[in-house]
Amino acid sequence: MKKYFLLLVLSVLAIQVSKAQTNCSDYYPLVDGASLQYTNYDKKGKEDGQINYKVANVQNNGSGTSATMLMEMVDQKGNTYTSDYDIACDGNVVKIDFKSLMNEQMLSQMGDVEVDISGTDVELPNNLSVGQELPDANISLKMKMGGAINMNTNVETINRKVEKQESVTTPAGTFDCYVIYSETKTKMMMANQTFPSRTWLAEGIGMVKQESYNKKGKLMGSMVLTQFSK
């Protein structure tokens, strides 16, 4: 369950760098019923589960848009975990309601645990350019798992920059993308790790592909858009 929860947090950090295809932003189709399916692969290219997103409860007012992201994660054994969180964009900034991640449905899947979550938003401007540097982001989690067992986790996304533009082909189609490099620092209990990654973003779609690497730059795993509809 700890691995699933951390994956959920990393997935939110990854997906939220894409934003609404409204007057708020050029990225991410924030329209009712839009759905995206991502397939996870391990370092050997073997399928390692899926993540499904669906956009619901979209509301537009003036220059802002808010919606609910419904998320379903299926691991390699076929176990399914579900959650949802609130997302809103206003002007040129998207905001994630981190506390909404801790909904009753999510907590019931984690057993007897109390969770406090906080963080900063990931920002992505409408006009990306190669060489551009982007702000950092983080999520902090404090978990009480019964008795005297506490687990604190901090996930930071740092050194974000636009590396290049390139075309990427996935089972969902071929997309012209900006490639964003970043580093994810995780602090959990006594373990500290840093994972470089690259995310491919396409206008009107959002994240098309993501690759994570170890400290030596070798591929550890990837997530690829396999289905998309709106």
Side-chain angles (χ1 to χ4, degrees):
M1 181 61 72
K2 293 179 183 178
K3 178 182 177 182
Y4 151 67
F5 189 74
L6 181 58
L7 179 59
L8 183 148
V9 172
L10 294 174
S11 298
V12 171
L13 277 173
I15 200 72
Q16 70 176 320
V17 298
S18 309
K19 297 190 288 186
Q21 191 183 20
T22 65
N23 53 355
C24 286
S25 172
D26 295 334
Y27 293 87
Y28 206 86
L30 216 62
V31 294
D32 272 311
S35 62
L36 304 98
Q37 180 191 80
Y38 296 92
T39 300
N40 296 319
Y41 298 92
D42 64 18
K43 61 183 179 181
K44 295 182 179 180
K46 182 180 179 181
E47 188 172 328
D48 193 30
Q50 291 182 337
I51 303 177
N52 300 301
Y53 290 90
K54 187 172 183 179
V55 181
N57 304 323
V58 176
Q59 297 184 20
N60 297 297
N61 52 29
S63 63
T65 300
S66 64
T68 301
M69 295 295 295
L70 308 177
M71 182 164 56
E72 177 188 67
M73 301 179 67
V74 183
D75 66 20
Q76 67 272 28
K77 296 181 180 180
N79 299 314
T80 301
Y81 308 94
T82 59
S83 184
D84 60 72
Y85 57 91
D86 298 327
I87 181 172
C89 68
D90 186 11
N92 196 41
V93 178
V94 67
K95 296 181 179 180
I96 302 296
D97 183 356
F98 293 105
K99 291 184 178 180
S100 70
L101 282 169
M102 299 298 102
N103 53 59
E104 292 183 5
Q105 185 179 38
M106 174 67 182
L107 292 176
S108 67
Q109 295 173 106
M110 297 180 64
D112 184 18
V113 59
E114 296 180 11
V115 182
D116 180 50
I117 184 170
S118 59
T120 57
D121 302 326
V122 171
E123 297 182 13
L124 186 79
N126 284 335
N127 299 317
L128 295 177
S129 60
V130 176
Q132 185 176 6
E133 296 184 355
L134 303 174
D136 298 340
N138 73 80
I139 295 180
S140 180
L141 304 148
K142 296 181 179 180
M143 304 174 65
K144 295 182 179 180
M145 308 179 73
I149 301 177
N150 297 322
M151 184 176 74
N152 296 332
T153 301
N154 190 65
V155 182
E156 295 181 87
T157 304
I158 61 174
N159 297 328
R160 300 174 64 224
K161 61 182 179 181
V162 183
E163 279 192 330
K164 58 184 177 180
Q165 287 182 275
E166 68 178 20
S167 179
V168 174
T169 298
T170 78
T174 298
F175 308 95
D176 293 323
C177 299
Y178 280 100
V179 182
I180 296 180
Y181 172 87
S182 64
E183 296 172 2
T184 300
K185 295 176 62 177
T186 61
K187 297 180 180 180
M188 180 183 294
M189 304 298 282
M190 301 298 292
N192 297 331
Q193 295 178 306
T194 300
F195 302 101
S197 66
R198 286 182 172 85
T199 300
W200 283 255
L201 295 174
E203 289 192 12
I205 303 293
M207 189 178 72
V208 170
K209 178 182 176 182
Q210 185 184 51
E211 292 184 344
S212 299
Y213 315 94
N214 62 19
K215 60 183 180 181
K216 294 182 179 180
K218 293 185 178 181
L219 183 67
M220 292 176 56
S222 62
M223 183 162 60
V224 175
L225 180 68
T226 46
Q227 291 184 27
F228 169 74
S229 66
K230 64 178 180 179

